[in-house]
Amino acid sequence: MNKKIVIPFALAILSAALFGCSSNKVKEEKIKPNPLPKLQQSIGLAPVFSQSVSSTSSQDPLRLQLAIDQGVYFLPDPKGVVSAYKGKQRLWEKRVSKQGITSGAEAAAGVVVVGNSKGEVFALDQATGEQKWKAQASGALLSPALIYNGRAILVANDSTVFAFDVENGQVAWTYKLPHTPLSLRAQAAPVPVDARTVAIGTSNGYVYAIDSLTGVPRMQQRVAVSEGRSDVQRLVDIAADPVVVGQFMVTTSFQGQVTVTDLTTQRVIWSQDASSVASPAVHEGKVFVSTIDGKVLAFDLFSGEKVWDNDQLLNRQLSNPVVLGNHVVVGDLDGVLHLLDVNNGQLLGRSSTSGDVRVLRVVDNQLLVSTRKGAMSIWQNR
């Protein structure tokens, strides 16, 4: 039986950097993050909500994102607890698993769905926290579910996609993605493409589109190309969720490219070299990418021409970028949220949370932040 080997981001990056050294004794050089740049002006964000859950390992990039639905916040704790808040008021708190939680929360259709390293899937009633159903996948669940068309769709780390009926947890369909023997310990979550189709990025550099109701494959498109010599250098995992805007799908890949695909023709429009394990952001005809080495890049969505780049945050282990108002926001290893001008990339201000920022999301013009130390917070423009 083939066995899949997963490696942390940090180890993959270090191995790639050290490949080709002729000496048998290689001294690891610690890369220092750039100091925080001085600001000509200083703007920040206003905190709306903040709660803490348990921390996670620095070597395990879990996406323990919080979810929001109907004005209620749902927080997953790595130790196996899910809680719900309305503003600062806690509505309920439920322990769902002694095995912990390794996926982020997803809330829709009246349920909250989380998963763990044993492949267990739990659906809780949004109003009460009571378990509606429990199901079993074939491997660890490292990314959030997508609740879509009456299905809770998840990807196990053995490359199997599961669609569970959101009402009762029965398996509606499964789909086996290609198996790669070596990959990063990460998995892109499914994202909607159209009224019936979802797209999933994989560790082999392809995106697969699948019918959400039947599990029938609709498309497979290569969006990342490997150019390395060693097994580690050839890693081109799509570890981050694709972003779909209209007819365009934007993807990033580790040691690969940022790529824009036209979904109507299923052809790549353009591709630019950029190594990233974070989802891109798309806003008003621009694509924003944060790279492994700490650059923030902006490309024209239609031509691929670079619009601007910012290298002031090198080696600060940036999160995915998001757009909030007129600002591109990225988080870093010190819990700093950086605000950049969406038009030119100028660094305009910052706010601080606690712990290295793992996931940023914008929902209803609010910024949802999750950090490794378990700080889960919501912010808005001042």
Side-chain angles (χ1 to χ4, degrees):
M1 180 179 67
N2 291 332
K3 188 174 182 180
K4 185 172 183 178
I5 302 173
V6 293
I7 55 178
F9 292 159
L11 177 58
I13 296 166
L14 177 61
S15 299
L18 295 181
F19 178 82
C21 295
S22 58
S23 173
N24 291 328
K25 294 183 179 180
V26 179
K27 182 179 180 181
E28 179 182 343
E29 182 177 350
K30 187 175 182 180
I31 300 175
K32 294 182 179 180
N34 270 19
L36 289 176
K38 293 182 179 180
L39 300 173
Q40 298 299 321
Q41 55 181 317
S42 184
I43 60 175
L45 301 169
V48 175
F49 170 85
S50 180
Q51 287 292 332
S52 293
V53 298
S54 303
S55 62
T56 59
S57 167
S58 60
Q59 300 299 316
D60 202 354
L62 299 180
R63 292 176 50 185
L64 287 170
Q65 67 185 31
L66 69 160
I68 180 172
D69 191 36
Q70 305 295 317
V72 178
Y73 313 139
F74 301 95
L75 282 64
D77 190 299
K79 292 188 176 179
V81 175
V82 178
S83 52
Y85 287 83
K86 182 78 170 181
K88 296 182 179 180
Q89 178 188 5
R90 188 172 71 188
L91 302 180
W92 51 259
E93 181 178 275
K94 297 292 181 179
R95 176 170 292 279
V96 299
S97 170
K98 294 181 180 179
Q99 305 297 329
I101 295 172
T102 53
S103 78
E106 173 70 355
V111 297
V112 185
V113 175
V114 294
N116 66 19
S117 62
K118 301 298 182 182
E120 296 174 316
V121 185
F122 305 89
L124 309 180
D125 185 281
Q126 284 192 12
T128 65
E130 295 302 319
Q131 182 175 299
K132 291 193 66 173
W133 51 264
K134 176 183 175 182
Q136 183 66 52
S138 55
L141 300 166
L142 304 177
S143 60
L146 172 66
I147 298 176
Y148 200 59
N149 284 338
R151 309 281 193 253
I153 305 172
L154 303 97
V155 187
N157 76 333
D158 68 349
S159 303
T160 304
V161 186
F162 286 83
F164 301 99
D165 187 293
V166 77
E167 292 297 326
N168 56 33
Q170 295 297 311
V171 176
W173 53 263
T174 63
Y175 183 81
K176 187 69 174 179
L177 296 168
H179 174 89
T180 54
L182 182 68
S183 70
L184 301 180
R185 181 171 166 79
Q187 173 62 59
V191 298
V193 172
D194 57 32
R196 284 192 58 149
T197 313
V198 298
I200 303 169
T202 65
S203 58
N204 68 347
Y206 280 77
V207 173
Y208 291 79
I210 304 171
D211 188 297
S212 62
L213 296 179
T214 65
V216 174
R218 299 297 186 191
M219 179 193 78
Q220 68 177 60
Q221 176 64 52
R222 185 167 190 169
V223 295
V225 179
S226 169
E227 297 180 350
R229 296 182 179 180
S230 71
D231 288 343
V232 170
Q233 285 187 322
R234 284 193 293 269
L235 290 172
V236 285
D237 292 54
I238 303 172
D241 304 349
V243 173
V244 177
V245 178
Q247 71 190 75
F248 300 108
M249 178 178 66
V250 187
T251 54
T252 56
S253 55
F254 176 64
Q255 299 182 148
Q257 298 82 31
V258 51
T259 301
V260 172
T261 302
D262 187 327
L263 294 171
T264 58
T265 62
Q266 298 186 16
R267 293 186 177 182
V268 170
I269 301 300
W270 59 264
S271 186
Q272 296 281 6
D273 288 342
S275 178
S276 179
V277 292
S279 288
V282 181
H283 178 72
E284 294 185 347
K286 296 186 184 70
V287 175
F288 305 98
V289 176
S290 59
T291 64
I292 286 290
D293 59 0
K295 294 178 183 177
V296 184
L297 310 175
F299 300 93
D300 184 277
L301 172 63
F302 307 103
S303 68
E305 180 182 355
K306 186 185 291 185
V307 179
W308 55 257
D309 65 83
N310 185 306
D311 62 0
Q312 294 176 283
L313 306 174
L314 290 179
N315 305 314
R316 295 195 66 84
Q317 299 177 24
L318 300 183
S319 73
N320 61 299
V322 295
V323 176
L324 184 67
N326 294 320
H327 304 126
V328 177
V329 184
V330 291
D332 71 13
L333 77 171
D334 292 324
V336 180
L337 303 170
H338 301 273
L339 282 70
L340 289 74
D341 189 301
V342 73
N343 295 309
N344 57 29
Q346 180 184 354
L347 196 59
L348 298 178
R350 61 177 68 107
S351 293
S352 293
T353 181
S354 176
D356 53 318
V357 179
R358 290 290 173 86
V359 183
L360 297 182
R361 302 171 71 200
V362 172
V363 179
D364 298 332
N365 294 316
Q366 293 185 317
L367 177 68
L368 281 60
V369 182
S370 303
T371 77
R372 186 187 67 79
K373 283 190 176 180
M376 295 195 172
S377 55
I378 299 177
W379 307 70
Q380 63 186 16
N381 282 317
R382 293 187 185 277

